């Protein structure tokens, strides 16, 4: 059976109606459903559409896929934020050690190195930490 633009629009709207929000996931599901329908010999779109839905687990399965997609996106964001926090934390340690060496040797700019370490901690590491906790808490309740 050949899938028309009208069929594609119908499938897209029904996926939206049943909770598939992610654009990438919706495109993938739409592609799989259309491919399944096109590979069948029957001309009854409604029957083929229902068979495709059953084959891919039904609407409950689509909602679970959407939820899993959201979990994966959150995990990627948290990993990125944690890598940023680790890198900036390492930089703060290096700046603190340099500041300490400069203080011990009584070289100039020791306070500037220490101030840079404090500013990085306050302006970048703490907000990144609170952002990650905020995203985790929002995701926990949704």
């Amino acid at each position: 059976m050949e899938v028309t633009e009208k069929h594609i629009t119908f499938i897209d709207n029904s996926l939206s109606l049943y909770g598939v929000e992610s654009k990438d996931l919706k495109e993938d599901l739409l592609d799989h459903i259309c491919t399944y329908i096109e590979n069948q010999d029957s001309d009854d779109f409604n029957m083929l559409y229902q068979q495709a839905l059953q084959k891919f687990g039904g609407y409950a399965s689509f909602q679970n896929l959407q939820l899993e997609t959201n979990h994966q996106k959150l995990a990627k964001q948290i990993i990125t934020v944690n890598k940023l926090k680790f890198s900036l934390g390492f930089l703060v340690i290096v700046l603190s050690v340099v500041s300490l060496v400069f203080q011990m040797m009584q070289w100039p700019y020791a306070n500037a190195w220490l101030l840079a370490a404090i500013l990085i901690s306050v302006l970048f590491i703490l907000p990144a930490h609170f952002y990650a906790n905020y995203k985790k808490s929002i995701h926990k309740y949704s």
Side-chain angles (χ1 to χ4, degrees):
M1 173 179 187
E2 187 173 327
V3 178
T4 65
E5 195 66 37
K6 179 181 168 186
H7 294 142
I8 293 172
T9 304
F10 174 77
I11 296 169
D12 187 43
N13 290 338
S14 67
L15 289 175
S16 296
L17 182 66
Y18 288 100
V20 179
E21 299 166 357
S22 172
K23 183 179 177 182
D24 294 333
L25 179 61
K26 189 186 292 185
E27 286 176 1
D28 287 343
L29 288 171
L30 181 66
D31 181 53
H32 289 310
I33 291 171
C34 289
T35 303
Y36 177 81
I37 291 172
E38 286 176 345
N39 289 332
Q40 301 303 314
D41 292 331
S42 176
D43 286 334
D44 185 11
F45 172 76
N46 290 329
M47 181 191 69
L48 291 175
Y49 178 63
Q50 293 303 321
Q51 286 178 357
L53 290 181
Q54 290 174 359
K55 182 172 175 20
F56 295 117
Y59 290 118
S61 177
F62 295 160
Q63 290 174 348
N64 289 338
L65 283 172
Q66 178 65 53
L67 188 61
E68 190 173 317
T69 301
N70 292 343
H71 283 301
Q72 290 176 353
K73 283 182 183 179
L74 175 71
K76 278 186 178 180
Q77 287 178 347
I78 298 300
I79 288 171
T80 302
V81 168
N82 285 340
K83 285 180 182 178
L84 176 71
K85 286 186 338 187
F86 178 79
S87 300
L88 290 175
F90 184 75
L91 179 64
V92 165
I93 291 170
V94 168
L95 290 175
S96 299
V97 169
V98 168
S99 172
L100 179 63
V101 169
F102 272 55
Q103 286 283 358
M104 290 170 51
M105 301 303 285
Q106 295 182 351
W107 291 341
Y109 303 112
N111 292 335
W113 290 112
L114 183 60
L115 182 61
I118 292 170
L119 285 175
I120 289 172
S121 296
V122 170
L123 295 178
F124 297 105
I125 295 175
L126 285 176
H129 176 72
F130 291 131
Y131 173 77
N133 285 345
Y134 172 72
K135 291 298 269 186
K136 284 180 190 176
S137 70
I138 283 182
H139 197 68
K140 205 181 288 184
Y141 297 116
S142 61

